[in-house]
C-alpha cells in the first residue's frame, strides 16, 4: 500500500501536537521529531491504523538531526510513497528581554532551533528525495513576528524573518528543477499556546508589547491549537500551495 509521508518537527505540544494528531490517518506515514515523544500519540496512531515513528532529538543539535533524517530517508522505498512533505514547526522563545540583557546560550538555542535546524533538515530532505518522482512539499511555520519587529524578542523575530527569506531563496532553486519541491513559509495566526502565556506574563517594563498580548487573550482573539492546525493543513492541501511563497493563513481565507 502506498502512503503519503509527512515529517513534522515540534510535535510534542501546542499546534505541533495538534497537527500530528490530525495527520494520523491510515493512508499516512508520519515521522515526528521532538524533544519528548508522546505515548498518547502512539496510542492514537494505533487506533487510526497510521504508521507513526517518534524521534527524541534536540533540534539545537541540528547537524545530528539532519544527518539522522538523511539516513532514514535513504532507507525508504519511494515506490511505496504517494508524496513527501516536511513541516518545520519547531521553535523556541528565549527569555523575554532586550538583546543587551539576553544570555548567549538562549540566543544561540533560539536561532539554532528556529532557523538553523529548519535549513539543515530541509537540505537533507530535498537532497535525499531529489530523485523521487512523487510530489514534494516543504512547509515552514513562520510568524507575523518575522514580518513585524518586536522589542525584547530579537532572536525569535530574526529566526522567523530568516525562515521567510530562506524559503524565498529555496523557491527560486526548486523552480529550476523538473520535479522541484513546492515550498511555503506560512504564518499560522495568533494561537493560544505556552508561548502566548510567556508573553502575557512578561515584565512590562522590559517588554513594551506585554499589554497587547494580555488584550488578545482577554478579547478572545487567540485561535485554539486544534483550529490553527486545521487551517495550516488546509493551506498545505490547497491546489495552489507554493504559489505564494511567504503567506499567512488569514490571507485569502
Amino acid at each position: 500500500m502506498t502512503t503519503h509521508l509527512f515529517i513534522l518537527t515540534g510535535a510534542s505540544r501546542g499546534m505541533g501536537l495538534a497537527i500530528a494528531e490530525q495527520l494520523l490517518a491510515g493512508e499516512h506515514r508520519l515521522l515526528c521529531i521532538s524533544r519528548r515523544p508522546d505515548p498518547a500519540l502512539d496510542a492514537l496512531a494505533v487506533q487510526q491504523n497510521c504508521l507513526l515513528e517518534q524521534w527524541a532529538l534536540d533540534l539545537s543539535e541540528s547537524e545530528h538531526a539532519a544527518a539522522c533524517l538523511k539516513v532514514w530517508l535513504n532507507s525508504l522505498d519511494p515506490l511505496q510513497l504517494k508524496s513527501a512533505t516536511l513541516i518545520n514547526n519547531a521553535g523556541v522563545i528565549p527569555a523575554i528581554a532586550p538583546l543587551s540583557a539576553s544570555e548567549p546560550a538562549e540566543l544561540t538555542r533560539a536561532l539554532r532551533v528556529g532557523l538553523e535546524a529548519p535549513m539543515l533538515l530541509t537540505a537533507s530532505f530535498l537532497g535525499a528525495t531529489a530523485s523521487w518522482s512523487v510530489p514534494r512539499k516543504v512547509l515552514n511555520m513562520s510568524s507575523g513576528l518575522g514580518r513585524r519587529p518586536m522589542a525584547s524578542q530579537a532572536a525569535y523575530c530574526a529566526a522567523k524573518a530568516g525562515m521567510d527569506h530562506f524559503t524565498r531563496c529555496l523557491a527560486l532553486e526548486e523552480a529550476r528543477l523538473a520535479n522541484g519541491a513546492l515550498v511555503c513559509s506560512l504564518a499560522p495566526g495568533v494561537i493560544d499556546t505556552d508561548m502566548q502565556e510567556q508573553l502575557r506574563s512578561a515584565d512590562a517594563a522590559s517588554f513594551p508589547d506585554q499589554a497587547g498580548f494580555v488584550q488578545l487573550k482577554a478579547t478572545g482573539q487567540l485561535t485554539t491549537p486544534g483550529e490553527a492546525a486545521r487551517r495550516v493543513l488546509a493551506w498545505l492541501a490547497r491546489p495552489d500551495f507554493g504559489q505564494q511563497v511567504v503567506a499567512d493563513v488569514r490571507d485569502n481565507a
Side-chain angles (χ1 to χ4, degrees), residues 99-226:
L99 188 65
S100 59
S102 298
E103 292 292 331
E106 288 214 20
L107 295 175
T108 298
R109 177 168 176 75
L111 291 170
R112 284 182 173 170
V113 175
L115 180 57
E116 185 180 278
M119 289 190 75
L120 269 62
L121 291 171
T122 300
S124 286
F125 173 76
L126 294 176
T129 63
S131 64
W132 296 9
S133 60
V134 300
R136 296 173 299 145
K137 296 179 181 179
V138 176
L139 176 59
N140 289 325
M141 298 313 308
S142 185
S143 169
L145 293 179
R147 304 156 199 179
R148 175 179 70 83
M150 185 171 72
S152 297
Q153 271 303 293
Y156 184 83
C157 292
K160 294 304 185 183
M163 177 173 275
D164 284 351
H165 210 50
F166 109 70
T167 307
R168 293 185 183 101
C169 296
L170 184 61
L172 295 175
E173 295 170 1
E174 292 299 305
R176 294 167 55 87
L177 305 177
N179 187 37
L182 300 176
V183 302
C184 178
S185 187
L186 181 68
V190 189
I191 309 163
D192 197 1
T193 61
D194 292 345
M195 175 183 163
Q196 284 287 324
E197 187 175 344
Q198 284 179 264
L199 295 170
R200 290 194 301 272
S201 60
D203 178 12
S206 61
F207 184 43
D209 290 87
Q210 188 261 359
F213 285 96
V214 171
Q215 184 72 3
L216 286 173
K217 177 70 170 180
T219 55
Q221 296 183 59
L222 299 179
T223 306
T224 66

Side-chain angles (χ1 to χ4, degrees), residues 33-35 55-65 109 113:
I33 305 175
S34 309
R35 293 195 70 182
W55 291 357
L57 290 178
D58 183 349
L59 288 175
S60 67
E61 300 175 1
S62 53
E63 288 187 58
H64 173 66
R109 177 168 176 75
V113 175

Side-chain angles (χ1 to χ4, degrees), residues 11 15 20 28 87 97 121 131 216 241 246 250:
M15 186 184 69
H28 291 174
I87 305 174
L121 291 171
S131 64
L216 286 173
F241 177 85
V246 175
R250 292 162 290 194

